Amino acid sequence: AQSVTQLDSQVPVFEEAPVELRCNYSSSVSVYLFWYVQYPNQGLQLLLKYLSGSTLVKGINGFEAEFNKSQTSFHLRKPSVHISDTAEYFCAVSINAGGTSYGKLTFGQGTILTVHP
Amino acid sequence: ETGVTQSPTHLIKTRGQQVTLRCSSQSGHNTVSWYQQALGQGPQFIFQYYREEENGRGNFPPRFSGLQFPNYSSELNVNALELDDSALYLCASMYGSGRISETQYFGPGTRLLVL
């Protein structure tokens, strides 16, 4: 079985500052990795995903993440945040088994990012 | 706008009752997954349906069941409701082609409160 640990439950940051949201995972098999954002009273929106290839993945809204296989991490970064980035962020994994396996996600507990003016 | 809708948006039930939650996917999305998100937690995978057959299940008891219909809609049924079933229920759909580039789209969820 796989598991995901998001190391920070809450991250406060000032507008235009850089931010890093940390995610570690555990799995005995190869995985796909995802970051989702959830705004209040809304569903989940995909920010970015790592499937294979380059370990640096760029996503929407200026976010990027780096896959580090040796450290089993997939940290999310943004060089300059905006007030509108205030939301809850979820790291997720699925096993790399082809077919529809990547639709079966294991999520972390979430990190609430609060951007202050 | 993901093209995935869920109904109802909110629901209140009492312990022991049964509930049916509905999800309408984009046309062509033959794969739907359901998740339970308790307050302050990440979503937990309940099960997935692919071409109207169950295609994997998480650690949920049999009183959680589902259906997927040919018109790209689906249902999540929960029998004998317990207080711990209070949560946001999310459905997510995609076109399951085996190509990992396909994107999974989440609906806005149904918030269930069990009293």
Side-chain angles (χ1 to χ4, degrees), chain A residues 32 34 36 38 41-46 49 51-52 88 90 96 98-110, chain B residues 31 33 35 37 40-43 45 48 50 55-56 88 90 94-96 98-104 106-108:
Chain A
Y32 302 129
F34 306 81
Y36 283 87
Q38 187 175 37
N41 300 315
Q42 294 187 28
L44 298 169
Q45 181 182 7
L46 179 66
K49 59 187 176 185
L51 305 178
S52 64
E88 189 160 18
F90 292 96
N96 180 349
T100 58
S101 67
Y102 62 95
K104 303 168 188 171
L105 298 169
T106 300
F107 285 88
Q109 298 283 78
Chain B
T31 305
S33 301
Y35 292 84
Q37 185 178 15
Q41 305 291 320
F45 174 73
Q48 182 185 84
Y50 172 63
N55 184 44
L88 179 69
L90 297 164
M94 67 184 185
Y95 177 62
R99 294 198 304 269
I100 59 174
S101 60
E102 300 292 348
T103 296
Q104 182 168 224
F106 280 81

Side-chain angles (χ1 to χ4, degrees), chain B residues 6-17:
Chain B
Q6 293 186 243
S7 62
T9 55
H10 295 82
L11 199 54
I12 299 175
K13 291 285 189 179
T14 56
R15 196 170 43 183
Q17 285 188 310

Side-chain angles (χ1 to χ4, degrees), chain B:
Chain B
E1 181 60 49
T2 65
V4 180
T5 59
Q6 293 186 243
S7 62
T9 55
H10 295 82
L11 199 54
I12 299 175
K13 291 285 189 179
T14 56
R15 196 170 43 183
Q17 285 188 310
Q18 179 266 341
V19 68
T20 297
L21 310 182
R22 293 179 174 83
C23 173
S24 180
S25 305
Q26 292 185 31
S27 179
H29 280 196
N30 57 11
T31 305
V32 64
S33 301
W34 284 89
Y35 292 84
Q36 180 195 67
Q37 185 178 15
L39 200 61
Q41 305 291 320
Q44 281 194 284
F45 174 73
I46 303 175
F47 46 56
Q48 182 185 84
Y49 277 77
Y50 172 63
R51 293 182 175 176
E52 302 167 41
E53 298 283 336
E54 189 176 293
N55 184 44
R57 187 178 188 92
N59 189 26
F60 281 81
R63 60 189 184 85
F64 285 78
S65 62
L67 286 171
Q68 185 185 26
F69 303 102
N71 66 351
Y72 308 112
S73 66
S74 57
E75 291 180 353
L76 165 64
N77 299 289
V78 187
N79 293 323
L81 283 167
E82 301 177 0
L83 298 179
D84 285 348
D85 295 334
S86 295
L88 179 69
Y89 288 86
L90 297 164
C91 75
S93 73
M94 67 184 185
Y95 177 62
S97 65
R99 294 198 304 269
I100 59 174
S101 60
E102 300 292 348
T103 296
Q104 182 168 224
Y105 296 93
F106 280 81
T110 293
R111 191 164 297 280
L112 172 65
L113 178 61
V114 182
L115 301 176

Side-chain angles (χ1 to χ4, degrees), chain A residues 76-95:
Chain A
L76 181 70
R77 301 185 182 100
K78 186 170 183 179
S80 176
V81 295
H82 303 290
I83 297 287
S84 59
D85 292 323
T86 295
E88 189 160 18
Y89 292 78
F90 292 96
C91 181
V93 302
S94 69
I95 62 170

Side-chain angles (χ1 to χ4, degrees), chain A residues 10-22:
Chain A
Q10 297 193 50
V11 173
V13 65
F14 287 107
E15 194 173 18
E16 297 183 7
V19 71
E20 178 180 80
L21 306 184
R22 298 179 294 167

